[in-house]
Amino acid sequence: MKNFLRCGEHKLLKKQKLMSKKNLYNAVIALSLFLTPTFMFGQTPPNLGVAGSFVLFTGSGAIGNTGLSQITGNVGTNSGATTGFGNVNGQMHNGNAITDSADYYTTLAYNNLGAQSPTDSIAVGMGGGQSLTPGVYYVPAASTLTGILILDAQNNSSACWVFQMSGAFSAAASSSVQLKNGAKACNIFWQITGAVGIATGSSFSGSIVATGAITLGSGVLLNGRALTTIGAVTVTSVTAGIPIGCGSKVLTGPTAPNMGTTACYALYTEDGAMTNTGTTYIVGDVGTNNGSITGFDTSKITGKLHSTPDTSTAQAKTDLNILYDSLNALPYDIELLKPALFGNSQVLTPHVYRLKAATHLNDTIFLDAQGNSDAVFVIQIDGALTTTSYSCVSLIGGTKSSNVFWKIEGAVDISDHSVFKGTIVANNGAISFLTPGDSLDGRALSTTGAINTNDAVITINSAPTSITPSGPTAFCQGDSVKLTASSSTSYLWSNGDTTQSITVKTSGKYAVTVANVCGTGGTSTSDSITIKVNSKYSKNISTSICSGDSILIAGSYRKNSGTYNDSLSSSSGCDSIIATVLTVNPKYSTSKLAAICNGDSILLAGSYRKASGTFNDTLNTTKGCDSIIVTVLTVNPKYSTNKTAAICSGDSISIAGTYRKTSGTYNDTLSTTKGCDSIIVTVL
């Protein structure tokens, strides 16, 4: 029955199906939001799913481009036409399973963003130097951006912004969203209820998730996505790309192929003549396995000129066919649909690209490894390759020319003053650098075809000798690092070792010289690396206190003898260890008794004492803990007695130890047990 439906009926049924599906999506989303705890909705990035791979997408509507736009990411519509796009660094999708899933996730993301609890509300007019910290911002009506809006992450790498727009949104010409203090475009989301218009020359950051048409004017720079559930997406000469970071996949490209002996050749053809005109400088071998070689000046070649076929050129033939087959067999990730528009300042990322026709390089093509220096690029061209004058292959983001491969079906003609990078593998085609001023950082290899050069500079892009450390090159005393030189046949380190890897524990500059694996001119290459070993200080000290006292050691007050370790952080990260040996010396306290007689005195605690009492005296010791002498002084009384005596004249009496015969006063002393003698005064 479906076959008999009229065209309009097909469209109507599809629209009804889409509406029904959206209603189901909304029901599922509403249920999930109801069942999810509210704390889940607080400044949380939504799950974009498949929609996250799109830079431009609409669930229902046309998607079109005018002019030359630079797009990195997928482009597609789930229901509508796609027109006007040139080469997109991504996949073009229209009404398939992928767009169906992207439609679902776009709707899911829109509802998720709208369900998050606002942390603040802002006026409908944004910009003018306004600065916003992370949060969920509610905008109550249709809004505009004029001038500069600053999003300040305050050095929080996870900072997130959600803008909930209760209406359409427009950005005035030359307006911008600027990121500050670690803010990331991948953590910025604009939920817009209605249409979106970003005017000419604006710079915008973040993922737009809307329910209306999206228009990006001429010269707009979008670091993010433009996604809508319904409505056309229209762009004009824009630069737009999916933001990296926030857990996004690190692009590596395919595995680099095994080049075999072809790695040693700057210029090589299996079958064809090799001709040079003018002065051409070459680093690398030059050779053909079947053909003549004329015009090359060996003094300008840092390498070997294989003037006649030999075992090396024969092996290179085998290895080149293996190299070609491996490059040709790679499945491509992205098809560049407009070979005639190749270049024009487009940026490519690590992938396998395919152009299914003869290709012309216009101006510049940028190859961006996005910080991964091991990333590999393969460009497969099903036809010849030509370039404009002053064309350029520019490597950015850490891309190495040794990781770039051009598989070309046919001839290669590089025009004057061009800068080309990577290994060219031309199948059944000549390679020409006929006009002066060209440079090639790479190799030019042909399975069948002549190679011609004219006043060129061709440098083999075999990786230079390098030293790779296993860890940081600055570390603490007692640690070590393993240094590994790039692969070769022999090694000589500055410390005399001849192995590929050495382990070092001391500061210094370590250099390695390796043999040239290609035997290019018998030369060798070298590299060096500086290692810094930071000292760990360890100091032992001794100290003492008196019993009952305390001292601050290693963050605590200590009262007992023992050894205590304290760590002090240093700027180099190597903490110092101070070991403190604590000795607690005793304090002595002695009590004694003293006695004097009334009227006498005694020296106690630095003074002469005459009265009874307790007196403390401190005696210094060699260990600094003074002894306390407590003296209890007793003053004993002295007794004095008066008495009279009488005798008759001529008699005598014993007084004070002598017989007395005459009248008088005599004193006699009687000793007592306490040492204080009594005085007896006798009147005779």
Side-chain angles (χ1 to χ4, degrees):
M1 180 177 179
K2 180 178 179 181
N3 293 334
F4 296 98
L5 293 174
R6 294 187 297 272
C7 180
E9 291 174 323
H10 276 295
K11 292 181 179 179
L12 178 60
L13 285 176
K14 187 171 184 180
K15 181 176 181 181
Q16 290 172 341
K17 181 180 178 181
L18 287 169
M19 292 177 65
S20 175
K21 182 166 58 178
K22 285 187 182 294
N23 290 336
L24 176 62
Y25 291 168
N26 292 337
V28 172
I29 293 164
L31 179 61
S32 67
L33 295 179
F34 175 75
L35 294 176
T36 305
T38 55
F39 67 81
M40 291 293 290
F41 299 106
Q43 205 174 330
T44 305
N47 178 14
L48 292 174
V50 174
S53 67
F54 284 83
V55 64
L56 304 175
F57 176 79
T58 176
S60 180
I63 187 163
N65 170 72
T66 302
L68 201 60
S69 291
Q70 307 295 344
I71 307 294
T72 298
N74 294 343
V75 175
T77 173
N78 198 38
S79 177
T82 302
T83 58
F85 287 91
N87 290 317
V88 172
N89 185 20
Q91 299 172 343
M92 303 293 295
H93 292 282
N94 191 305
N96 56 27
I98 293 177
T99 60
D100 197 43
S101 180
D103 188 13
Y104 167 79
Y105 277 103
T106 300
T107 303
L108 185 69
Y110 176 84
N111 285 282
N112 177 283
L113 292 169
Q116 297 193 34
S117 300
T119 57
D120 201 353
S121 61
I122 55 177
V124 295
M126 294 185 292
Q130 181 182 17
S131 181
L132 298 176
T133 54
V136 179
Y137 292 93
Y138 174 71
V139 184
S143 55
T144 59
L145 169 65
T146 304
I148 297 173
L149 173 65
I150 300 170
L151 302 184
D152 185 354
Q154 299 180 321
N155 298 316
N156 178 4
S157 60
S158 300
C160 180
W161 287 262
V162 173
F163 294 92
Q164 300 169 335
M165 308 285 191
S166 298
F169 174 75
S170 63
S174 301
S175 59
S176 66
V177 177
Q178 298 184 3
L179 309 185
K180 184 179 179 182
N181 292 328
K184 299 176 181 177
C186 55
N187 273 334
I188 302 169
F189 299 90
W190 305 79
Q191 189 233 23
I192 300 170
T193 305
V196 179
I198 310 296
T200 300
S202 296
S203 177
F204 201 81
S205 294
S207 294
I208 298 169
V209 185
T211 58
I214 300 176
T215 302
L216 305 182
S218 178
V220 166
L221 175 62
L222 171 62
N223 183 15
R225 304 173 179 88
L227 315 175
T228 182
T229 60
I230 187 168
V233 176
T234 305
V235 300
T236 302
S237 298
V238 303
T239 299
I242 296 173
I244 62 175
C246 308
S248 61
K249 181 180 178 181
V250 176
L251 298 178
T252 61
T255 301
N258 182 3
M259 300 191 65
T261 57
T262 63
C264 301
Y265 284 87
L267 301 174
Y268 174 81
T269 178
E270 291 181 19
D271 188 3
M274 304 192 73
T275 305
N276 175 68
T277 304
T279 302
T280 295
Y281 293 89
I282 300 173
V283 175
D285 287 1
V286 177
T288 174
N289 197 48
N290 183 30
S292 60
I293 299 179
T294 58
F296 291 92
D297 183 350
T298 56
S299 68
K300 303 297 189 296
I301 300 175
T302 304
K304 183 176 181 180
L305 178 64
H306 299 264
S307 55
T308 58
D310 54 24
T311 55
S312 176
T313 61
Q315 184 61 48
K317 177 179 179 179
T318 300
D319 293 342
L320 179 55
N321 284 303
I322 294 173
L323 174 60
Y324 168 79
D325 289 341
S326 64
L327 293 174
N328 190 50
L330 286 172
Y332 63 88
D333 306 311
I334 296 172
E335 180 184 354
L336 301 176
L337 299 172
K338 304 289 183 180
L341 298 179
F342 184 65
N344 292 306
S345 297
Q346 185 176 17
V347 178
L348 303 183
T349 46
H351 288 288
V352 178
Y353 293 91
R354 187 74 171 268
L355 297 100
K356 295 183 177 179
T359 298
H360 186 70
L361 172 58
N362 301 273
D363 190 26
T364 301
I365 189 77
F366 292 94
L367 305 182
D368 182 6
Q370 297 182 336
N372 180 9
S373 61
D374 294 324
V376 175
F377 297 75
V378 174
I379 297 95
Q380 302 169 333
I381 299 175
D382 295 346
L385 172 65
T386 57
T387 75
T388 59
S389 297
Y390 295 90
S391 64
C392 180
V393 177
S394 180
L395 308 184
I396 60 176
T399 303
K400 296 178 181 177
S401 61
S402 55
N403 286 335
V404 177
F405 298 88
W406 303 79
K407 193 241 34 164
I408 300 165
E409 298 294 334
V412 178
D413 188 358
I414 309 299
S415 291
D416 62 290
H417 299 91
S418 293
V419 176
F420 205 88
K421 296 184 180 181
T423 295
I424 300 171
V425 178
N427 185 39
N428 297 323
I431 302 176
S432 297
F433 299 89
L434 280 177
T435 49
D438 290 335
S439 71
L440 169 64
D441 177 10
R443 304 171 182 84
L445 313 174
S446 175
T447 60
T448 302
I451 296 181
N452 303 292
T453 58
N454 179 12
D455 286 334
V457 176
I458 300 172
T459 304
I460 194 171
N461 61 16
S462 55
T465 298
S466 62
I467 298 174
T468 303
S470 61
T473 56
F475 49 85
C476 298
Q477 186 178 7
D479 295 335
S480 62
V481 65
K482 183 179 181 181
L483 304 179
T484 302
S486 51
S487 180
S488 184
T489 56
S490 65
Y491 312 88
L492 178 60
W493 291 87
S494 53
N495 65 353
D497 286 350
T498 56
T499 55
Q500 184 176 4
S501 299
I502 61 173
T503 299
V504 298
K505 298 181 179 180
T506 57
S507 297
K509 185 176 182 180
Y510 294 85
V512 66
T513 300
V514 303
N516 190 326
V517 294
C518 295
T520 304
T523 60
S524 57
T525 56
S526 62
D527 190 22
S528 64
I529 191 170
T530 299
I531 302 299
K532 182 180 181 182
V533 179
N534 296 309
S535 298
K536 280 185 176 180
Y537 298 98
S538 182
K539 184 177 182 181
N540 296 326
I541 61 175
S542 297
T543 189
S544 62
I545 58 173
C546 297
S547 178
D549 295 340
S550 63
I551 187 171
L552 182 63
I553 301 175
S556 298
Y557 284 94
R558 312 293 180 176
K559 296 181 178 181
N560 301 316
S561 296
T563 301
Y564 302 94
N565 294 329
D566 198 8
S567 296
L568 298 179
S569 297
S570 66
S571 58
S572 66
C574 302
D575 296 339
S576 299
I577 304 298
I578 299 177
T580 302
V581 179
L582 176 63
T583 301
V584 179
N585 296 314
K587 285 183 177 180
Y588 298 98
S589 180
T590 302
S591 298
K592 67 178 183 178
L593 300 175
I596 59 173
C597 296
N598 187 32
D600 294 339
S601 64
I602 188 172
L603 181 64
L604 295 176
S607 299
Y608 285 95
R609 312 294 180 175
K610 295 181 178 182
S612 296
T614 300
F615 302 96
N616 295 332
D617 198 8
T618 301
L619 297 179
N620 293 327
T621 67
T622 57
K623 295 183 178 179
C625 298
D626 297 336
S627 297
I628 305 297
I629 300 176
V630 180
T631 302
V632 179
L633 177 63
T634 301
V635 178
N636 295 311
K638 285 184 176 181
Y639 298 98
S640 180
T641 303
N642 295 323
K643 67 180 182 177
T644 60
I647 59 171
C648 295
S649 176
D651 293 338
S652 63
I653 188 172
S654 177
I655 299 174
T658 303
Y659 285 94
R660 310 294 181 176
K661 295 180 177 183
T662 59
S663 296
T665 299
Y666 302 97
N667 294 332
D668 196 7
T669 301
L670 297 179
S671 296
T672 66
T673 57
K674 295 183 178 180
C676 297
D677 295 339
S678 297
I679 304 299
I680 300 175
V681 180
T682 302
V683 179
L684 179 60

